Amino acid sequence: MSYAISLIDCTTEESIQLPQPQYLTSGCVPCRYDEKADAFEPIPMEWAEWSITYNYAHYYYEVTEQDARFAVVDEDSGEISYGIRGLYGKSAKESIPMLQNLIDRIEKRYCPHGKWKTGERSRKRYFDQDGFELTFDAYLFYKGAATTKTERYLISEGDTHNYWEETAANAIQPLREMLAVAKMCQELDCVWDGD
């Protein structure tokens, strides 16, 4: 699951086209097939659109809590929550200090004095009946007796090696890109939209 966030033109209600295509951090990245390498390679994105994994959600929730600018009221229950969805409906210009605050708050909490903290995580690993490791997808379709093992590990909050890993630095990267795009588009009639 992910946040699908776009900066949209208020007149056309379409995503803003970037002045120059950019490589953006996203769970969904456009690519093309390179016949010589026999592999897919990412290509720059043309639109102000991000698919940000929910793996980063807790970073956004915890640093926006009680900040009225990020408050979101559930239409059905009336309950108030906070987080990145607080950007929705805000103009590019309005969002500039909000995005900068998100970045600064996450860094202050997880990288005090310029040194990233270390966090403990857990992950499940999957094995077939002969002890060979399976990917999660293979595990779902495996017909034999499979086993799972939960392992705990430490990781730097500054680690960006794996997009899907829940780290502060990974959570910050799309915010930096959104901030740069907001600055480029601050004079346009556009707002953030998502989900």
Side-chain angles (χ1 to χ4, degrees), residues 1-6 25-28 49-61 82-86 88 163 174 178 193-195:
M1 302 300 282
S2 62
Y3 300 100
I5 300 177
S6 303
T25 303
S26 184
C28 300
E49 299 174 344
W50 290 261
S51 171
I52 304 172
T53 177
Y54 284 156
N55 294 355
Y56 311 157
H58 84 87
Y59 296 101
Y60 305 144
Y61 291 134
Y82 299 85
I84 197 168
R85 287 185 178 102
Y88 298 174
Y163 168 82
M178 292 167 68
D193 191 29
D195 292 55

Side-chain angles (χ1 to χ4, degrees), residues 70 83-90 95 98-99 102 178 192:
F70 291 96
I84 197 168
R85 287 185 178 102
L87 292 169
Y88 298 174
K90 305 286 192 309
S95 73
M98 294 172 72
L99 287 160
L102 277 169
M178 292 167 68
W192 291 103

Side-chain angles (χ1 to χ4, degrees), residues 152-166:
R152 301 194 75 64
Y153 61 99
L154 296 176
I155 189 162
S156 166
E157 290 288 353
D159 190 321
T160 57
H161 178 74
N162 175 358
Y163 168 82
W164 302 104
E165 189 72 58
E166 174 191 333

Side-chain angles (χ1 to χ4, degrees), residues 10-25:
C10 290
T11 303
T12 65
E13 297 185 4
E14 298 291 329
S15 296
I16 295 286
Q17 187 166 11
L18 298 170
Q20 179 177 342
Q22 305 283 321
Y23 288 100
L24 300 176
T25 303

Side-chain angles (χ1 to χ4, degrees), residues 72-81:
V72 178
V73 180
D74 183 284
E75 291 179 17
D76 297 328
S77 69
E79 288 184 31
I80 298 173
S81 63

Side-chain angles (χ1 to χ4, degrees), residues 120-137:
E120 185 174 346
R121 306 284 189 275
S122 64
R123 66 175 154 233
K124 279 191 176 179
R125 296 176 64 195
Y126 309 92
F127 300 90
D128 69 13
Q129 59 199 19
D130 296 320
F132 293 104
E133 189 164 6
L134 302 169
T135 64
F136 178 70
D137 292 341

